Amino acid sequence: MKTFLWLIEAFLFLALVLFLGILPKNLSIKIGEFLGSCLFYTWSSRKKIALKNIEIAKKGGLNIPSTPHDIVIRHFKNLGRSFAELSMLFCRRYPIARNIEFEGIENYDKAKAKGRGLIFITGHCGNWELLAFAQAWRGSPSSVVVRPLDNPYLNRFIEKLRMRFGNKVIYKRGALKEILMALKKGEDVGILMDQSVAENEAVITEFFGEKVYTTKMPALFSIKTGSSVIPAFINYTGDGKHRVWFGEEIAVKNTGNLEDDVLYNTEVFSKYIEEYIREHPSEWLWIHRRWKLSHGRKY
């Protein structure tokens, strides 16, 4: 029964992707945003989580230019727009990549030239899937660490899409060896570090003033391999255009006290995501239960 439901889900997903993927760009984006708005009004459980998360972040110093309701509906529109953009890429509408502006390329090139492997730290911000595409499009593919989808048919579809232009997918289970191999070969690895993870994979840091579980992978790998670490984000600038930003290489603390160094570096890395959210509050994944440690799962 589960297999049948997975197939139906995958079929409907693919039909929507093909529909959005063949439409003119502006129309596809508008329909994507409309579908995102529909989700806002129908996916009440996630809307409730998003509104609660914004209230938590506001207590931690987040200033928003409008109401939480407005930020959340814009967030859902961002999700719908992102889906439309990825649908166009699936249908080989590659000109969308030409609407991406790069800022801070010199920071990437400088870190890459050291030849020690490079770790991108980023989060579920903007169209985060497009971030990996954009980098591969300009000739610098990377390996991206992800969690597989529950539906294996959908996961196979998304995996093929993610591997366009030479990107590689590393699944979290058993990822340690693959990440180490990639970094030792001087390759790029992207890690999204803004979601709650299991206690044994995390250190406890603060996120907008609240205690959270944060993955220790980027800090641990940078210390163990000497790889460079730079922040990378993508944000929507309007009219179907995006900006990819590479920050300066982050100085990784390595005193020999591994536990303290991992905690310190993880806190530093996490602040870059917090800063992105402050600047672009509607583009973060508010529907994720980020504050499980301090607020539990029942919010």
Side-chain angles (χ1 to χ4, degrees):
M1 184 63 179
K2 183 180 287 188
T3 299
F4 176 73
L5 292 175
W6 278 339
L7 284 170
I8 294 296
E9 183 182 43
F11 174 78
L12 293 174
F13 181 87
L14 182 58
L16 183 56
V17 165
L18 292 175
F19 170 68
L20 290 172
I22 63 175
L23 292 174
K25 185 189 75 171
N26 290 340
L27 179 59
S28 179
I29 288 175
K30 286 185 180 298
I31 293 176
E33 290 178 339
F34 171 74
L35 293 174
S37 298
C38 292
L39 272 182
F40 172 81
Y41 291 106
T42 58
W43 204 2
S44 57
S45 60
R46 289 293 168 175
K47 178 173 71 173
K48 180 180 177 182
I49 291 169
L51 289 169
K52 176 64 176 178
N53 281 343
I54 289 178
E55 291 302 326
I56 294 171
K58 284 177 65 179
K59 291 178 181 178
L62 174 68
N63 293 314
I64 56 176
S66 53
T67 65
H69 180 279
D70 181 59
I71 293 297
V72 174
I73 194 169
R74 286 169 56 196
H75 165 59
F76 274 94
K77 285 182 177 180
N78 178 68
L79 293 178
R81 181 177 59 247
S82 298
F83 183 79
E85 291 168 340
L86 294 175
S87 297
M88 286 184 272
L89 283 176
F90 174 77
C91 292
R92 302 186 183 278
R93 303 277 298 284
Y94 299 146
I96 191 173
R98 299 187 188 123
N99 290 322
I100 300 174
E101 173 189 359
F102 290 87
E103 183 178 328
I105 286 292
E106 66 280 2
N107 295 324
Y108 169 80
D109 292 340
K110 185 178 178 180
K112 183 69 174 177
K114 294 182 178 181
R116 303 179 308 195
L118 192 151
I119 300 172
F120 290 117
I121 56 164
T122 189
H124 293 79
C125 305
N127 188 345
W128 62 88
E129 295 282 358
L130 191 58
L131 175 60
F133 280 116
Q135 182 66 348
W137 179 265
R138 64 178 294 271
S140 302
S142 59
S143 297
V144 183
V145 183
V146 301
R147 185 187 74 83
L149 301 177
D150 295 332
N151 184 327
Y153 303 104
L154 272 182
N155 189 70
R156 199 171 306 153
F157 168 81
I158 296 296
E159 182 184 76
K160 289 181 179 179
L161 185 58
R162 284 170 168 162
M163 293 174 70
R164 291 271 177 93
F165 314 131
N167 284 330
K168 299 177 184 177
V169 172
I170 298 177
Y171 290 110
K172 284 186 177 180
R173 179 173 293 180
L176 299 181
K177 183 177 179 181
E178 289 189 66
I179 294 173
L180 282 172
M181 287 177 60
L183 292 174
K184 287 181 179 179
K185 288 190 288 186
E187 297 176 357
D188 302 344
V189 176
I191 301 177
L192 292 89
M193 55 174 298
D194 59 334
Q195 293 201 332
S196 185
V197 294
E199 185 176 357
N200 65 322
E201 302 173 6
V203 290
I204 297 175
T205 65
E206 283 196 358
F207 195 62
F208 286 101
E210 295 274 356
K211 299 293 185 182
V212 293
Y213 288 127
T214 303
T215 178
K216 58 187 176 184
M217 275 204 301
L220 190 60
F221 283 118
S222 63
I223 292 171
K224 290 289 188 180
T225 65
S227 298
S228 301
V229 179
I230 64 171
F233 294 95
I234 184 170
N235 75 281
Y236 186 68
T237 57
D239 195 28
K241 298 179 181 179
H242 296 265
R243 178 188 71 128
V244 170
W245 174 82
F246 299 109
E248 294 183 1
E249 181 177 349
I250 302 171
V252 176
K253 184 178 180 181
N254 186 3
T255 66
N257 187 326
L258 184 61
E259 184 176 344
D260 288 348
D261 291 343
V262 165
L263 175 59
Y264 174 85
N265 290 314
T266 302
E267 289 177 334
V268 171
F269 298 165
S270 187
K271 288 298 180 184
Y272 282 90
I273 298 171
E274 189 173 317
E275 184 61 29
Y276 179 95
I277 297 169
R278 293 182 188 278
E279 294 180 3
H280 310 284
S282 66
E283 292 195 16
W284 186 57
L285 192 66
W286 289 106
I287 59 176
H288 169 68
R289 292 185 177 93
R290 182 66 180 104
W291 287 274
K292 292 178 183 178
L293 175 60
S294 52
H295 289 261
R297 294 175 179 268
K298 296 181 180 180
Y299 74 85

